Amino acid sequence: MTASRAHRRRPSPSLTHGVDQDAPVGGPWAGEAAQTVPVGPAAPAAPLAVSGPRLLRIVVPAQASRASGVRRTVAEQLSYLRLPAERLDNAVLATDELFANAVKYGSPDAGDMVTVTVECTDHEVRVTVADRSPDLPRHRTADVAEESGRGLAIVAALVDDWGIAPPAPGETGKRVWFSLEIQGVS
């Protein structure tokens, strides 16, 4: 565990407090009944066995004010998997960083939308954030005094793998994704 991860023991307060009136609406994975699974330190350590691939796709306006709703929706969906609190927090923070980049750099026009997709198999969670800009994100080293420029470095530190993919067929832009292994996580 890196030093930066060692200090992250409790879930982010943004996952459990406050409500957005315009938050994306999410429920259990398609075709499944809702389950109540606590988010935070009381969450079970053993992951829930996944019977088949699961998919959640939300489309939200490319506005910074929508970030908390995106975080909450992803946290809610991943809580059904009973991920350990640190893995859940890592997934939500990495999603937040990719969403912020999509809003800031990938959505040049008012009215642009960002698509967030959460895919889960029995061994991996993969989150993809798609925007309309074809400009690829650049991994850079931010100066100590800079207030931004660390998003991709944060994502790389939190997840098992990440990358960039072309847009879905018939669409413009790009997709930036990350994955976290969940099989045998304790």
Side-chain angles (χ1 to χ4, degrees), residues 58-85:
I58 58 173
V59 179
V60 296
Q63 301 168 353
S65 63
R66 301 299 179 119
S68 63
V70 169
R71 287 191 307 267
R72 193 169 355 280
T73 300
V74 170
E76 178 182 308
Q77 293 302 312
L78 294 181
S79 71
Y80 292 112
L81 302 177
R82 301 182 190 155
L83 293 175

Side-chain angles (χ1 to χ4, degrees), residues 59-122:
V59 179
V60 296
Q63 301 168 353
S65 63
R66 301 299 179 119
S68 63
V70 169
R71 287 191 307 267
R72 193 169 355 280
T73 300
V74 170
E76 178 182 308
Q77 293 302 312
L78 294 181
S79 71
Y80 292 112
L81 302 177
R82 301 182 190 155
L83 293 175
E86 181 179 2
R87 298 298 271 183
L88 177 63
D89 237 10
N90 289 353
V92 172
L93 180 54
T95 302
D96 189 52
E97 292 294 339
L98 295 185
F99 182 79
N101 282 353
V103 169
K104 185 172 182 176
Y105 304 111
S107 305
D109 299 325
D112 279 351
M113 304 297 274
V114 173
T115 302
V116 179
T117 305
V118 180
E119 300 172 86
C120 182
T121 66
D122 57 353

Side-chain angles (χ1 to χ4, degrees), residues 7-166:
H7 297 288
R8 297 175 4 84
R9 293 285 183 214
R10 297 183 344 190
S12 168
S14 63
L15 299 180
T16 55
H17 294 89
V19 174
D20 285 341
Q21 297 298 334
D22 58 355
V25 178
W29 301 97
E32 294 184 6
Q35 302 175 23
T36 302
V37 179
V39 176
L48 182 65
V50 177
S51 58
R54 298 170 182 220
L55 177 71
L56 168 73
R57 181 169 287 129
I58 58 173
V59 179
V60 296
Q63 301 168 353
S65 63
R66 301 299 179 119
S68 63
V70 169
R71 287 191 307 267
R72 193 169 355 280
T73 300
V74 170
E76 178 182 308
Q77 293 302 312
L78 294 181
S79 71
Y80 292 112
L81 302 177
R82 301 182 190 155
L83 293 175
E86 181 179 2
R87 298 298 271 183
L88 177 63
D89 237 10
N90 289 353
V92 172
L93 180 54
T95 302
D96 189 52
E97 292 294 339
L98 295 185
F99 182 79
N101 282 353
V103 169
K104 185 172 182 176
Y105 304 111
S107 305
D109 299 325
D112 279 351
M113 304 297 274
V114 173
T115 302
V116 179
T117 305
V118 180
E119 300 172 86
C120 182
T121 66
D122 57 353
H123 66 280
E124 177 182 74
V125 169
R126 184 181 190 111
V127 176
T128 304
V129 178
D131 62 56
R132 288 191 28 194
S133 173
D135 297 334
L136 300 180
R138 294 181 299 128
H139 194 239
R140 68 182 191 94
T141 304
D143 187 86
V144 174
E146 290 182 88
E147 292 184 12
S148 64
R150 295 173 184 81
L152 292 178
I154 290 170
V155 170
L158 295 174
V159 303
D160 296 319
D161 196 12
W162 74 276
I164 304 163

